[in-house]
Amino acid sequence: KGDSADYDEEVQSVCPFCGVGCQLSFKVKDGKIRYVDGVEGPANENRLCVKGRFGFDYVDHAHRLTKPLIRRDGAEKGLNVDPANPLSHFREATWEEALDAAAAGMKGRGREIAGFGSAKCSNEEAYLFQKLIRQGFGHNNVDHCTRLCHASSVAALLENVGSGAVTATFNEIENADVAIVIGANPIENHPVAATYFKQFAKRGGKLIVCDPRGVGLGKFASHRLQFKPGGDVSMLNAMMNVIVEEGLYDAEYIDRFTENWDEMKAHLADYTPEKMAPICGIAPDELRDAARTFANGKAGMIYWGMGISQHIHGTDNSRCLISLALMTGNVGKPGAGLHPLRGQNNVQGASDAGLIPMFLPDYQSVTDDGVRSAFTEVWGSEDFSNEKGLTVVEIMDAIHQGQIKGMYILGENPAMSDPDVDHARAALAKLDHLVVQDIFLTETANYADVILPASAWAEKTGTVTNTNRQVQMGRRAVAPPGEAREDWWIEVELAKRLGLGWTYTHPSEVFAEMKLNMPSLDNITWERLESEAVTYPSLSPQDPGQAIVFGDGFPRADKRARFTPAKIIEPDERPDAEYPFVLITGRQLEHWHTGSMTRRAKVLDAVEPEANCSMHPRTLRQMGIAPGDTIRLTTRRGSVRVMVRADRAIAEDNVFLPFAYVEAAANILTNAALDPYGKIPEFKYSAVRVETDGIA
Ligand code: SF4
């Protein structure tokens, strides 16, 4: 960090990493970002974590793509084709040539083409991407990383509350006296949000931290429930059983604002703490104490992360959390609410903008004829399919089955992020036409036929929506390198070549179009966002937005939320003699998702330069493994070699493996089994074998 002499321009924008959406200021000199400082944004109040503060220099990395590229005739597809010269299988092209080639390989191919957009792009770019697929190819096979993140949470929220977004900002913990944080590791994954949680605990708030790992926030907790992986539904049902049995529920709230309570009560009768304790691994007394603490609070928040969502029972997990909040009257008042902590900086906004196969913008169903015609009227185009499209993992399966033959992938990296990633890589290799738009030669770009060099977040202007539903303005601080371009510009040029007649000349025009069919943006204009963040819904041009929603009922029939009982569903595979451990994958503080940005950020890479996994020290001792040794992890899908650390936070029969490292790609190991509602894979539970034999 320097002083004002070290820069000649300050540009206020938003952090490019997690969904907290911290506002920051890029300090720019001679066209380069010199350093970053936090500013007074609604979510961060000047705070930044290590990624936001030190993770900016990837934008200047020598690996940036600066020219459009076309695969050389006959060149092999895939990773490590020529590690010494990674661009050797491509040749440089002009923008005209590359865009023409990209469009020519897709035009007129309808259902043979699918698209993955990006939660790292702006709202306008996400909107344009889904429009391009729907208008250009007539179907809904368009998705993005929400499918790998909170799709099951959104499915449960839409089903039971009528809205897929949070009911209260995470900052509402300031008004709570009790909070549950479950299946989340905010100190590493949402670090600035975690500072509010820690302050809450220090003020005496009751913090109930539940996770199969002993996550760092547990140090601040009044209650720590380190349950067995996959034991969430049993644990939550047992807590709700206690609340019912002891009459701790809010009868007045239930009567006024909910439906299906009698069925829920009957369902819970069987889930006593004594019966559930062996399944979830938490003693009956602890379950009772946690249940009483939450139910007796005056106002309680519930936060959850991918430990809840990334299971084949992810939707059931979220249903339980929704029921817990409803039965205790903890929605729609200060200090109370449901808050799935969103992952990527714009996964909320990209989902709101319709970058999902079953919904148009604002979660309006593609199966509704009136909804589609409202959009096609604005778009001036033909009707498109009324069938829900395929999701991320389903698209990979459809490639293997020969139904999808080409893809347009913007800013996503399925060759690293998909479950059972060898299956996904084989699918990408099968495509006869793959267009990748990105800032680096990602693992996915290695399979591309055409690569379009795009802009980093600091190089573009556009709006972004954080986990709190706060819409904020991201501003261009520096120019993209070489011939790289802003993503919205590339999308427009491609659409022109597909014959879609797009004429946008600035993202503000796209935002204006979005507003025509997105009531969530009522009273929010581009001009307002130039000077302030606005939380949707905003009730008037002066209203900064509603931090808490549903105080007077829900956007469902009769304004009532629903209790949906959840039964216990076993994980898709269980440990056995051959694969005796449970593998849990996730993130680390310093690295972001597939590592394409943070592993190219000097400070972050210096702190965490090497692929690693963690196991309990006692387990390591029993196996004759020393911390720092290389071990082999093997599941039914594949094998990786990785350095192991000792960590008492990991249960003795578990292994934790971050997924940012291509040299030990965690998703070679993960299971592609899907939650039936959210279609999210079971990243958080695979049976795994740990070996040392034969490792040098
Ligand atoms: Fe960026 Fe998230 Fe860190 Fe804030 S908490 S600085 S948004 S990574």
Side-chain angles (χ1 to χ4, degrees):
K1 183 172 174 178
D3 58 32
S4 56
D6 297 328
Y7 60 88
D8 43 39
E9 196 186 356
E10 287 181 274
V11 180
Q12 192 163 324
S13 188
V14 182
C15 175
F17 295 110
C18 90
V20 172
C22 296
Q23 284 196 15
L24 48 71
S25 166
F26 292 115
K27 313 293 184 186
V28 180
K29 188 166 188 171
D30 301 329
K32 300 275 183 218
I33 302 169
R34 298 297 161 152
Y35 68 98
V36 168
D37 230 344
V39 299
E40 185 66 30
N44 64 313
E45 298 175 294
N46 294 307
R47 309 168 201 196
L48 292 178
C49 78
V50 67
K51 285 190 288 287
R53 192 172 294 282
F54 297 112
F56 57 87
D57 57 337
Y58 70 91
V59 303
D60 294 322
H61 197 279
H63 290 171
R64 282 296 299 273
L65 296 169
T66 58
K67 281 183 184 296
L69 300 169
I70 293 179
R71 176 173 298 283
R72 292 186 192 280
D73 286 344
E76 194 185 335
K77 288 189 172 187
L79 304 182
N80 301 320
V81 171
D82 181 359
N85 187 8
L87 290 175
S88 64
H89 41 320
F90 298 96
R91 65 174 175 81
E92 292 180 358
T94 64
W95 269 109
E96 284 295 311
E97 189 188 5
L99 287 165
D100 286 350
M106 296 197 279
K107 193 168 182 181
R109 295 185 69 182
R111 286 184 176 276
E112 289 185 359
I113 303 295
F116 290 165
S118 174
K120 289 194 287 292
C121 286
S122 68
N123 290 327
E124 296 73 35
E125 290 164 343
Y127 174 86
L128 288 182
F129 193 92
Q130 60 84 33
K131 177 176 174 180
L132 185 144
I133 297 294
R134 290 178 163 125
Q135 187 183 20
F137 304 106
H139 59 72
N140 298 294
N141 292 338
V142 59
D143 207 353
H144 77 295
C145 70
T146 192
R147 196 66 41 210
L148 310 176
C149 161
H150 265 305
S152 48
S153 310
V154 172
L157 286 164
L158 285 168
E159 172 190 54
N160 298 296
V161 176
S163 162
V166 301
T167 72
T169 64
F170 69 76
N171 314 70
E172 268 305 307
I173 199 165
E174 291 181 340
N175 299 313
D177 59 358
V178 62
I180 292 175
V181 179
I182 180 167
N185 186 7
I187 285 183
E188 301 212 21
N189 297 332
H190 302 85
V192 167
T195 64
Y196 292 85
F197 301 169
K198 289 187 260 185
Q199 286 173 334
F200 162 78
K202 284 187 169 174
R203 282 197 308 272
K206 300 285 185 199
L207 183 61
I208 303 168
V209 174
C210 317
D211 199 274
R213 289 195 287 154
V215 294
L217 195 63
K219 284 186 214 141
F220 300 82
S222 57
H223 299 67
R224 296 178 77 162
L225 307 185
Q226 193 169 349
F227 61 92
K228 292 182 187 175
D232 342 44
V233 167
S234 56
M235 183 182 75
L236 294 166
N237 274 347
M239 287 170 62
M240 289 192 281
N241 169 288
V242 173
I243 291 168
V244 172
E245 290 301 313
E246 299 187 6
L248 303 176
Y249 51 87
D250 185 337
E252 194 185 326
Y253 183 91
I254 292 167
D255 186 48
R256 187 164 166 215
F257 287 120
T258 71
E259 64 182 34
N260 215 30
W261 173 237
D262 289 341
E263 191 187 320
M264 187 72 192
K265 255 196 329 192
H267 164 78
L268 289 172
D270 222 23
Y271 292 84
T272 63
E274 281 69 23
K275 278 192 197 165
M276 294 303 106
I279 301 173
C280 66
I282 304 296
D285 284 355
E286 289 182 72
L287 291 167
R288 286 201 168 83
D289 190 19
R292 288 169 188 150
T293 301
F294 187 73
N296 287 328
K298 288 193 185 65
M301 290 288 306
I302 300 179
Y303 303 92
W304 69 98
M306 267 141 265
I308 282 292
S309 61
Q310 290 176 335
H311 287 281
I312 59 166
H313 58 275
T315 304
D316 280 334
N317 282 343
S318 295
R319 285 171 174 154
C320 287
L321 295 173
I322 293 164
S323 295
L324 183 55
L326 293 175
M327 70 172 58
T328 51
N330 274 313
V331 180
K333 65 183 184 184
L338 291 158
H339 193 116
L341 288 155
R342 303 308 303 255
Q344 300 243 16
N345 64 331
N346 200 30
V347 70
Q348 182 66 57
S351 301
D352 296 344
L355 199 55
I356 32 184
M358 50 293 277
F359 296 117
L360 282 146
D362 262 2
Y363 307 92
Q364 300 177 77
S365 176
V366 297
T367 63
D368 186 316
D369 294 346
V371 165
R372 286 196 320 286
S373 73
F375 279 91
T376 52
E377 194 176 314
V378 169
W379 297 350
S381 60
E382 302 281 303
D383 194 9
F384 54 91
S385 173
N386 62 359
E387 281 172 43
K388 294 175 183 176
L390 299 175
T391 59
V392 165
V393 175
E394 290 172 334
I395 284 172
M396 291 298 151
D397 290 339
I399 296 169
H400 280 291
Q401 289 154 12
Q403 291 157 13
I404 290 174
K405 297 178 177 166
M407 282 197 76
Y408 176 24
I409 299 180
L410 191 171
E412 293 254 316
N413 195 6
M416 275 289 283
S417 59
D418 271 27
D420 189 8
V421 80
D422 280 342
H423 176 265
R425 290 174 183 176
L428 294 170
K430 263 188 157 180
L431 293 169
D432 65 31
H433 187 64
L434 173 60
V435 178
V436 172
Q437 182 172 323
D438 216 311
I439 61 174
F440 295 115
L441 184 74
T442 59
E443 289 74 20
T444 300
N446 273 290
Y447 294 86
D449 296 282
V450 181
I451 299 178
L452 306 172
S455 48
W457 184 253
E459 297 161 355
K460 65 170 80 174
T461 293
T463 67
V464 57
T465 307
N466 70 1
T467 188
N468 280 346
R469 298 182 264 104
Q470 283 150 350
V471 190
Q472 310 190 87
M473 185 63 76
R475 294 180 182 81
R476 176 170 160 144
V478 291
E483 295 177 24
R485 293 283 182 273
E486 291 190 39
D487 292 271
W488 70 267
W489 179 90
I490 303 170
E491 292 171 296
V492 170
E493 290 302 312
L494 209 45
K496 285 179 186 167
R497 285 162 176 81
L498 292 170
L500 307 187
W502 292 8
T503 56
Y504 309 101
T505 58
H506 191 270
S508 58
E509 296 162 14
V510 183
F511 188 83
E513 180 178 311
M514 291 167 70
K515 282 174 59 62
L516 297 175
N517 272 317
M518 289 183 70
S520 66
L521 297 179
D522 284 356
N523 299 308
I524 305 177
T525 62
W526 186 272
E527 291 69 31
R528 263 191 97 179
L529 296 172
E530 294 267 34
S531 57
E532 61 175 330
V534 185
T535 306
Y536 76 77
S538 165
L539 305 184
S540 74
Q542 290 75 39
D543 175 20
Q546 303 293 301
I548 302 160
V549 290
F550 310 147
D552 57 356
F554 295 87
R556 296 184 80 253
D558 298 331
K559 299 179 91 175
R560 288 176 182 274
R562 177 183 166 80
F563 288 103
T564 298
K567 293 185 179 151
I568 296 170
I569 297 171
E570 290 269 305
D572 184 65
E573 60 180 18
R574 279 290 195 185
D576 56 19
E578 206 178 345
Y579 303 100
F581 291 88
V582 175
L583 175 75
I584 300 172
T585 65
R587 284 177 278 164
Q588 286 180 290
L589 172 63
E590 294 80 6
H591 286 306
W592 182 246
H593 285 216
T594 65
S596 59
M597 299 192 296
T598 50
R599 294 198 78 192
R600 293 178 173 97
K602 271 197 212 81
V603 171
L604 302 177
D605 193 48
V607 178
E608 274 295 1
E610 187 180 356
N612 59 82
C613 69
S614 305
M615 293 175 67
H616 196 281
R618 197 172 301 128
T619 312
L620 292 178
R621 264 198 311 280
Q622 284 164 359
M623 297 185 74
I625 299 169
D629 281 358
T630 297
I631 59 171
R632 180 186 290 123
L633 302 175
T634 304
T635 66
R636 292 182 175 85
R637 273 72 54 192
S639 229
V640 302
R641 294 166 53 134
V642 62
M643 181 265 285
V644 65
R645 287 176 177 158
D647 186 349
R648 282 191 177 74
I650 311 298
E652 290 184 33
D653 53 356
N654 291 181
V655 181
F656 176 71
L657 178 64
F659 64 89
Y661 301 93
V662 65
E663 62 273 33
N667 284 319
I668 287 175
L669 306 177
T670 50
N671 187 354
L674 300 180
D675 170 282
Y677 306 97
K679 304 285 177 80
I680 193 167
E682 191 150 67
F683 287 117
K684 291 289 190 256
Y685 199 112
S686 305
V688 66
R689 183 165 70 233
V690 178
E691 294 167 299
T692 55
D693 288 351
I695 304 273

